């Protein structure tokens, strides 16, 4: 219950990078707590002063009383100080202090200067009687003197250093109020020594070692309260942690790799084939100076997960670096250490995370890199990906080269259009198209459902999802090229079933037909895929009678709500002036309705639906071509004139107005839609089309045929009109999809119109044969 009263002289510190404060106090006197008045928010107590202040001024009395003791103490103190280097100003000052200060103050001051443990210091503070204090401090002084003698004897050469250690201490003599500080300081000192040891034993490059040793030298001289202290320490710790020479051993065996890839992923044959080729070359030729693979395709088609499988087959660590929205090159290359809050880039950070220098890095979404004032991150990536340069990649933060040549980079993107050309040039693009319905069903049953069951703690004995239900989810609740939404919906179903199972409702309660899939009505929803035991055989199983819970369409509606997408194609094509086009988006293919209407006016063309410039031009082209061919096709406006825009306004609309659309491939659709409007005939309800047009009526090839065809197939369309020169693209489409569809290869617009309308589109004069010269 004894404390020291002190006067706070100065408070310095900062909250960054971690809160660190230094309190400078002047000790005044000892006191004793008589009564604690309150503890919060800070303690308040009634105290009694123990060593009187007058004692210091009126020193003669005590000197007489303790004469001998204090004289002895003084001698030791002088002996100690004289062993130090008097040329250091602090030591000279201390020597003067010994003479000037009252003897009573000396034990306190000297105890704070010499090497003592906190325990010993506290004991001195606790010693209220002066005599006791002298007696306790003398052995400590003697110990220090002996220690110094020994040191001077054994380490003559390092004498100066030791003096400095002791000599520096007088400056801090008044800080002894804070008890933990010394401990912390000693700990930190030990830490720095440890850090140095780690640096020396780590396997970093010569250049890095040189830099680190220089930094640690600086660190030793730096006071801890300096913000730079923490910065330098963080830097050195990172340098030690980096895997300079640590790598995992590749265990590459093509046969095993094939099995892993096949087990993890259904379909995607082309991609798997290319990946295996890549790995085979790696096996034969043990270096990585090949192109960087870049998987391009809609979201949720398994690009990331193939990357993960590659790491698995190689037995390497896997790390994903998301690049979407990164617009600052320091994100890749780090900040210079001069900046506040500087840190290394994502590449170096990733290496630190995985702890080896040969991981698989998946650069996710390279197409979503952005540019900004902070520089172009793509340019920084170029250096990372270039095998000629990346053995000496220099992160701004590290400021020394790090060898990235052992890292296997794989990139993913949704589209190549927005990847900077220089970056694209370094990569080998592998297209990953969307899945067909059949593939999705297989993926769901082989991979997604088992995964979701495991995630939700369910077993196949508790829940059964027949294939027809999966098809229902795919067609009515999702519209996507990949399987991500499907995965989420399956997750929702599993959650709902988990509740039922956990509630144990099955025990006695009446079976709820909608949820449980029991009863007469349900049977008609079960197809041949559904296992019959789900209804009847379960009675023989030890499970409760309603298990497994069968998910039928009713259950689906209960869990997921009413269907989100309907097969709307034929409905919407029930009047003239509507046609179905096929569009390509980074999310996969889409079907797109084009609507047209006409009204009285003065020949204006209105376009709505957020169209880009190219699409607007297509619309003008289409109108011009139809106007010039109006007579040939007997197209008239409302008043029967062949001048289609005479007293007529036309409005063309592309629904889903919030999505910006651009690209030339809607040309044929616009022509068909307008032809339907002016002729008053309906476009066949099962036809979709794509193709660019020219003013002379030729149909030019377009891109993304595979995705577009898959979208049409998903939407249940049967006939697809594509440009003749796109015929080669059909080879990429799976045979069973091709079987379901009829393809019309059109070289000119007449062929398109003939195919789009039932019974062809009448042409007055005989067709001259077009031959594309483009
Ligand atoms: P992406 O990176 O292309 O956006 P992901 O790799 O994240 O897509 O895939 C989403 C999910 O779909 C993952 O859980 C993955 O396992 C699954 N998946 C996608 N394609 C397949 C496939 N062919 N076989 C098995 N699972 C697949």
């Amino acid at each position: 219950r004894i404390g020291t009263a002190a006067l706070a002289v100065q408070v310095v510190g900062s909250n960054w990078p971690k809160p660190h404060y230094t309190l400078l106090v002047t000790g005044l006197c000892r006191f004793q707590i008589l009564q604690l008045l309150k503890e919060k928010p800070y303690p308040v107590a009634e105290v009694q002063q123990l060593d009187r202040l007058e004692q210091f001024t009126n020193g003669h009395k005590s000197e007489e009383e303790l004469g001998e003791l204090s004289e002895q103490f003084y001698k030791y103190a002088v002996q100690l100080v004289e062993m130090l280097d008097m040329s250091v100003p602090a030591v000279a000052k201390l020597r003067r202090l010994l003479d000037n200060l009252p003897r009573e103050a000396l034990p306190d001051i000297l105890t704070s200067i010499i090497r003592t443990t906190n325990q010993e210091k506290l004991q001195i503070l606790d010693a209220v009687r002066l005599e006791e204090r002298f007696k306790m401090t003398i052995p400590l002084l003697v110990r220090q003197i002996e220690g110094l003698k020994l040191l001077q004897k054994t380490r003559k050469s390092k004498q100066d250093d030791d003096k400095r250690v002791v000599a520096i201490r007088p400056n801090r003599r008044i800080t002894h109020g804070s008890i933990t500080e010394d401990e912390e300081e000693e700990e930190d000192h030990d830490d720095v020594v440890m850090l140095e040891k780690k640096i020396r034993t780590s396997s970093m490059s010569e250049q890095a070692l040189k830099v680190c040793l220089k930094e640690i030298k600086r660190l030793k001289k730096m006071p801890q309260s300096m913000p730079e202290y923490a910065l330098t320490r963080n830097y050195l710790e990172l340098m030690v942690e980096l895997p300079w020479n640590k790598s995992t051993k590749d265990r590459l065996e093509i046969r095993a790799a094939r099995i892993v890839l096949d087990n993890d992923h259904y379909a995607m044959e082309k991609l798997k084939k290319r990946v295996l080729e890549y790995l085979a070359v790696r096996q034969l030729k043990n270096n990585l100076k090949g192109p960087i693979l870049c998987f391009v395709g809609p979201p949720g088609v398994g690009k990331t997960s193939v990357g993960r499988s590659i790491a698995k087959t190689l037995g390497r660590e896997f790390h994903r670096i998301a690049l979407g929205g990164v617009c600052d090159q320091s994100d890749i290359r780090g900040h210079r250490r001069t900046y506040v809050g500087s840190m290394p880039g994502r590449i170096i950070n990733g290496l630190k995370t995985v702890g080896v220098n040969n991981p698989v890095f998946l650069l996710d979404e390279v197409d979503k890199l952005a540019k900004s004032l902070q520089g172009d991150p793509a340019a920084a990536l170029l250096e990372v990906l270039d095998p000629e340069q990346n053995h000496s990649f220099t992160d701004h933060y590290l400021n020394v080269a790090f060898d990235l040549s052992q890292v296997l980079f794989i990139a993913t993107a949704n589209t190549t259009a927005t990847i900077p050309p220089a970056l694209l040039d370094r990569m080998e693009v592998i297209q990953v198209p969307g899945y067909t319905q059949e593939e999705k069903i297989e993926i769901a049953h082989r991979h997604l459902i088992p995964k979701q069951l495991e995630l939700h703690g369910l077993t196949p004995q508790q829940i059964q999802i027949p294939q027809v239900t999966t098809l229902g989810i795919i067609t009515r609740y999702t519209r996507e090229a990949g399987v991500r939404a499907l995965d989420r919906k399956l997750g929702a179903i599993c959650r709902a079933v988990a509740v039922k199972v956990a509630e144990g409702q099955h025990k006695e309660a009446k079976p709820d037909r909608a949820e449980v899939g029991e009863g007469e009505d349900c049977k008609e929803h079960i197809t041949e895929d559904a296992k019959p035991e789900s209804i009847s055989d379960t009675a023989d199983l030890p499970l409760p009678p309603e298990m497994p819970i069968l998910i039928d369409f009713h259950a689906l509606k209960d869990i997921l709500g009413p269907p989100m997408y309907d097969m709307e194609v034929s409905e919407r094509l029930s009047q003239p002036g509507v046609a179905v086009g096929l569009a390509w988006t980074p999310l996969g293919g889409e079907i797109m309705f084009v609507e047209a209407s006409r009204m009285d006016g003065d020949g204006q063309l209105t376009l709505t639906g957020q169209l880009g410039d190219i699409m607007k031009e297509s619309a003008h082209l289409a109108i011009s071509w139809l106007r010039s061919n109006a007579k040939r096709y007997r197209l008239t406006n409302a008043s029967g004139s062949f001048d289609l825009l005479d007293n007529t306004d036309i409005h063309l609309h592309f629904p889903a107005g919030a999505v910006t659309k651009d690209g030339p491939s809607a040309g044929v659709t616009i022509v068909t839609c307008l032809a339907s409007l002016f002729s008053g005939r309906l476009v066949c309800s099962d036809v979709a089309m794509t193709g660019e047009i020219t003013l002379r009526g030729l149909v030019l090839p377009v891109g993304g045929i595979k995705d577009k065809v898959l979208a049409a197939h998903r939407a249940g369309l049967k006939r697809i009109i594509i440009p003749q020169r796109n015929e080669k693209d059909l080879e990429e489409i799976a045979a069973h999809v091709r079987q379901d569809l009829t393809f019309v290869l059109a070289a000119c617009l007449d062929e398109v119109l003939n195919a789009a309308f039932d019974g062809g589109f009448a042409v007055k004069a005989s067709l001259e044969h077009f031959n594309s010269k483009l």
Side-chain angles (χ1 to χ4, degrees), residues 263-268 297-306 308 362 364-365 412 414 432 435 443 447-448 451 482-484 487:
N263 281 351
D264 287 358
H265 299 95
Y266 178 78
M268 6 170 72
V301 290
K303 301 183 296 292
T304 315
S305 93
V306 168
R308 198 166 274 135
L362 187 89
D364 222 357
E365 323 269 19
T412 79
N414 289 142
V432 193
Y435 295 118
I443 292 172
H447 299 281
L448 306 181
K451 196 177 76 190
V483 291
R484 205 169 273 155
D487 198 27

Side-chain angles (χ1 to χ4, degrees), residues 120 123-124 127 131-141:
E120 287 163 342
Q123 274 170 5
I124 304 292
E131 187 189 348
E132 197 183 333
R133 227 179 292 157
F134 274 132
K135 277 185 185 158
M136 285 169 85
T137 324
I138 289 174
L140 299 180
L141 276 182

Side-chain angles (χ1 to χ4, degrees), residues 188-253:
D188 278 356
H189 183 75
D190 287 350
D191 275 3
V192 172
V193 174
M194 282 283 282
L195 199 58
E196 185 174 359
K197 215 162 137 196
K198 276 193 209 158
I199 290 172
R200 286 185 191 280
T201 52
S202 83
S203 49
M204 61 178 78
S205 64
E206 219 168 277
Q207 186 197 7
L209 185 68
K210 232 169 159 180
V211 173
C212 281
L213 290 178
K214 211 170 111 199
E215 290 291 322
I216 200 125
K217 223 167 157 186
R218 277 184 59 216
L219 189 73
K220 281 183 183 165
K221 288 184 193 155
M222 230 184 263
Q224 279 174 45
S225 48
M226 239 169 113
E228 213 188 327
Y229 181 87
L231 270 186
T232 314
R233 221 178 123 156
N234 288 349
Y235 171 75
L236 290 172
E237 273 166 10
L238 173 76
M239 292 292 267
V240 172
E241 268 179 61
L242 280 182
W244 295 93
N245 224 345
K246 215 169 125 204
S247 52
T248 49
K249 201 166 157 16
D250 275 4
R251 49 172 165 78
L252 179 57
E253 215 216 301

Side-chain angles (χ1 to χ4, degrees), residues 354-367:
V354 294
V356 285
N357 67 3
N358 63 344
V360 173
F361 270 171
L362 187 89
L363 304 170
D364 222 357
E365 323 269 19
V366 274
D367 55 330

Side-chain angles (χ1 to χ4, degrees), residues 57-175:
T57 46
N58 184 15
H60 294 292
K61 205 175 113 213
S62 49
E63 202 180 322
E64 278 163 26
E65 280 170 19
L66 302 159
E68 205 181 320
L69 208 51
S70 103
E71 195 55 38
Q72 199 185 358
F73 182 86
Y74 175 74
K75 264 192 210 150
Y76 280 125
V78 172
Q79 188 187 352
L80 174 65
V81 174
E82 278 174 355
M83 286 176 83
L84 305 178
D85 185 359
M86 287 301 244
S87 62
V88 177
V91 177
K93 197 174 162 198
L94 182 65
R95 179 70 189 84
R96 278 199 302 279
L97 277 179
L98 283 185
D99 289 337
N100 298 339
L101 277 179
R103 295 273 163 89
E104 298 82 6
L106 291 183
D108 286 346
I109 292 176
L110 280 164
T111 316
S112 71
I113 296 172
I114 58 178
R115 242 182 217 287
T116 45
T117 64
N118 272 317
Q119 195 64 31
E120 287 163 342
K121 282 181 188 147
L122 281 177
Q123 274 170 5
I124 304 292
L125 280 178
D126 274 349
V128 179
R129 284 179 44 231
L130 193 55
E131 187 189 348
E132 197 183 333
R133 227 179 292 157
F134 274 132
K135 277 185 185 158
M136 285 169 85
T137 324
I138 289 174
L140 299 180
L141 276 182
V142 174
R143 188 179 74 191
Q144 181 77 32
I145 292 168
E146 292 304 316
L148 267 183
K149 274 185 191 160
L150 205 68
L151 257 171
Q152 283 178 346
K153 238 188 260 165
T154 52
R155 290 165 49 194
K156 274 234 159 11
S157 57
K158 291 195 174 179
Q159 222 172 19
D160 289 1
D161 278 2
D162 294 323
K163 278 175 197 163
R164 205 178 58 225
V165 171
V166 187
I168 286 168
R169 291 187 160 246
N171 286 339
R172 299 183 181 225
R173 66 190 183 278
I174 19 193
T175 62

Side-chain angles (χ1 to χ4, degrees), residues 648-754:
T648 311
D649 274 357
I650 296 175
H651 188 156
L652 263 175
H653 179 58
F654 295 73
V659 187
T660 313
K661 308 168 196 74
D662 204 10
S665 68
V668 292
T669 324
I670 302 174
V671 169
T672 311
C673 167
L674 289 173
S676 155
L677 178 74
F678 288 116
S679 66
R681 293 178 58 189
L682 291 182
V683 179
C684 294
S685 62
D686 60 351
V687 173
M689 61 200 80
T690 182
E692 182 181 350
I693 53 169
T694 69
L695 201 50
R696 308 303 307 269
L698 300 182
V699 178
L700 301 185
V702 291
I705 290 290
K706 180 163 184 194
D707 282 317
K708 289 175 178 175
V709 169
L710 288 179
H713 187 245
R714 274 203 293 279
L717 295 160
K718 292 280 172 274
R719 243 171 347 134
I720 300 179
I721 305 172
I722 60 166
Q724 195 174 43
R725 277 160 59 185
N726 276 118
E727 188 176 2
K728 59 181 188 317
D729 296 318
L730 295 180
E731 280 168 23
E732 283 182 27
I733 297 164
H736 65 270
V737 176
R738 257 186 296 171
Q739 267 167 19
D740 289 350
L741 301 168
T742 317
F743 292 97
V744 179
L745 301 170
C748 63
L749 279 170
D750 296 294
E751 289 167 26
V752 173
L753 293 178
N754 267 331

